[in-house]
Amino acid sequence: MESLRLLLISTPVGPLGSGLGGGVELTLRNIATELVRRGHQITIVGTKGSTAWGIPLIEIPGKLQTSALTQGRDTPTIIPPYSVLANFWEYGRQVQEKYDLIVNFAYDWLPFYLTPFFTTPIAHLLSMSSLSEAMDEIIGRVAIQFPGTIGVHSQAQAATFSFANSCRCLANGIDLSLYEFCESPQPWLAWVGRIAPEKGLEDAVAACQLAKIPLKIMGVIQDEDYWQKIQQIQQNKIPDFSKKSGISKSGISTNPLIQYEGFLSTTDLQQRLRQCQGLLMTPHVVEAFGNVVIEALACGVPAIAYDRGGPSEIIEDGKTGWLVEPDSVSGLVEAIAKLDKIDRHACRHRAESEYSTTAMGDRVQMWFQDILAKSNYSDTL
Ligand code: UDP
């Protein structure tokens, strides 16, 4: 394939490298790195303070966007004054002629609304499932007017939209050389992700308390109130959770069963994660994919997840982990007891065969090729 000039426009909810963008940050990094390796010319647009792993980066100032996850289904679209999202797309408009394709990583209304006004084609990679009427409407419009330009990470994610059939499923991929296989685990479980209500950390905490197995939590504290609540739940449930071992000033629990490890770099994350017996993934929403599941599998760590959304398509029940009835803490406890039935080599193998950066790069490249091949693209403008 000839070398493409690609402008990757990031999420406006936080700087790349901060963790606030959740899985989008790793997804963008892996796609960008793989495309550079394949000889494409990549420029990333990110909020001020972003890191871009040596890839050309345009840092744009402005007020961060509130994540669509915190809004209700009927919430109107809000764009603050001096919006970084608006600034991203104003920049994109000005430089669009220098690029063959623009790739949008933001789950926000504006880039979809602007799509017909651009002369350079835009590929939109959706990082979340259906969340609001306003987003469904605007994405749906783009799906009809520019067929093939809406990318998703799983079939389950696509199924949450009325335009499911016109979505392109790309799954995801990670650089497997960064994740070391660990044969002999230690007796603890991991929970990895943004600490925010939709991620259902309280279920993992409750399950570990019932199963009497330590849980190590890794990820950025996105919602401080929620984190405080998690610790209060623990205090109520464990009678010997003494005042001394309560909440430290920074909000970090010192309960020996539940340990907060902080927000870790990929290198540190895999170093810790690979030692655990299993990963718990307990979201209360339809997770679009679940990067942390493929990261765990890459280390040979089986994953236990609720049977809905992206994780149901990644985990093979009884082979690379266990799928549990959604929102069932007792189901999690039962699955924890069966973790030793999973062959850790099968987990690593699953990551190698489906979720390498090469496999993902092939899917993404083909997607771009198809978008650019649509000769009638400019006729639809
Ligand atoms: N992550 C990280 N350090 C941590 C915990 C998590 O870099 O200490 C990253 C992890 O690698 C993953 C992302 O946070 O890429 C979480 O993504 P996921 O797709 O699981 O959920 P999302 O946040 O997108 O809903």
Side-chain angles (χ1 to χ4, degrees):
M1 187 185 185
E2 66 180 90
S3 166
L4 294 175
R5 298 162 305 162
L6 302 164
L7 185 68
L8 274 45
I9 306 192
S10 178
T11 166
V13 302
L16 286 166
S18 70
L20 295 172
V24 176
E25 296 185 23
L26 188 69
T27 302
L28 193 151
R29 175 186 181 169
N30 289 335
I31 290 179
T33 311
E34 178 61 15
L35 292 171
V36 167
R37 195 186 68 75
R38 289 171 185 233
H40 299 294
Q41 291 166 51
I42 307 290
T43 304
I44 296 174
V45 174
T47 71
K48 212 165 174 48
S50 289
T51 46
W53 322 283
I55 297 168
L57 168 73
I58 308 293
E59 288 182 71
I60 305 257
K63 195 161 174 4
L64 298 180
Q65 194 71 14
T66 306
S67 168
L69 274 165
T70 60
Q71 324 277 302
R73 279 209 75 81
D74 296 322
T75 312
T77 298
I78 295 166
I79 297 174
Y82 195 48
S83 153
V84 75
L85 173 66
N87 294 346
F88 275 1
W89 288 86
E90 172 55 20
Y91 175 80
R93 190 187 65 78
Q94 286 173 20
V95 299
Q96 60 179 321
E97 262 107 74
K98 294 189 195 153
Y99 296 92
D100 299 306
L101 183 73
I102 297 173
V103 189
N104 169 37
F105 288 82
Y107 193 97
D108 290 283
W109 185 84
L110 189 65
F112 294 92
Y113 176 76
L114 290 176
T115 302
F117 298 98
F118 273 64
T119 48
T120 298
I122 303 174
H124 299 271
L125 183 51
L126 302 184
S127 56
M128 289 181 276
S129 302
S130 167
L131 287 178
S132 77
E133 302 304 332
M135 283 299 287
D136 284 8
E137 183 192 28
I138 199 75
I139 307 170
R141 236 192 273 173
V142 174
I144 292 167
Q145 203 178 350
F146 302 95
T149 62
I150 307 292
V152 291
H153 294 289
S154 66
Q155 304 291 354
Q157 178 194 6
T160 66
F161 298 105
S162 61
F163 47 87
N165 291 340
S166 49
C167 293
R168 181 77 167 242
C169 190
L170 299 154
N172 232 339
I174 50 174
D175 180 352
L176 290 157
S177 68
L178 300 177
Y179 299 81
E180 207 176 298
F181 177 74
C182 172
E183 175 108 53
S184 327
Q186 314 254 323
W188 54 271
L189 301 182
W191 187 96
V192 184
R194 288 177 295 105
I195 300 176
E198 72 275 5
K199 291 290 185 180
L201 172 56
E202 64 272 33
D203 292 10
V205 168
C208 286
Q209 285 175 336
L210 289 167
K212 298 198 172 41
I213 183 163
L215 178 70
K216 294 193 184 183
I217 300 166
M218 300 159 217
V220 71
I221 299 176
Q222 196 171 38
D223 185 327
E224 186 66 44
D225 287 349
Y226 175 67
W227 178 233
Q228 295 293 336
K229 261 188 233 154
I230 293 280
Q231 296 176 83
Q232 279 152 20
I233 296 167
Q234 289 176 58
Q235 285 176 316
N236 295 339
K237 283 204 174 158
I238 304 176
D240 64 352
F241 191 68
S242 66
K243 270 185 204 144
K244 263 194 213 152
S245 64
I247 304 164
S248 71
K249 207 168 172 239
S250 62
I252 291 168
S253 167
T254 48
N255 175 354
L257 256 188
I258 312 296
Q259 213 176 318
Y260 178 60
E261 303 279 311
F263 173 64
L264 307 174
S265 67
T266 299
T267 312
D268 292 343
L269 175 69
Q270 66 83 32
Q271 201 168 42
R272 228 152 295 182
L273 176 61
R274 70 180 182 233
Q275 297 170 26
C276 76
Q277 270 181 0
L279 172 87
L280 289 182
M281 202 189 190
T282 49
H284 289 161
V285 291
V286 179
E287 185 81 39
F289 187 71
N291 277 348
V292 299
V293 176
I294 58 173
E295 293 182 272
L297 294 180
C299 300
V301 170
I304 294 173
Y306 289 145
D307 190 6
R308 74 174 153 220
S312 322
E313 289 168 32
I314 307 169
I315 301 163
E316 304 142 290
D317 193 38
K319 193 171 172 209
T320 50
W322 297 101
L323 291 168
V324 170
E325 184 196 333
D327 307 322
S328 164
V329 170
S330 60
L332 295 173
V333 176
E334 278 167 35
I336 292 169
K338 295 189 292 187
L339 269 174
D340 58 355
K341 299 207 175 351
I342 305 291
D343 174 6
R344 292 172 74 95
H345 289 97
C347 298
R348 171 78 189 185
H349 179 72
R350 174 80 173 150
E352 282 172 354
S353 61
E354 295 292 325
Y355 307 113
S356 65
T357 36
T358 317
M360 186 203 48
D362 288 347
R363 295 189 287 260
V364 168
Q365 208 172 256
M366 246 183 282
W367 179 40
F368 292 169
Q369 234 164 344
D370 289 348
I371 292 173
L372 293 171
K374 287 219 185 312
S375 53
N376 62 349
Y377 186 90
S378 51
D379 302 341
T380 62
L381 294 174

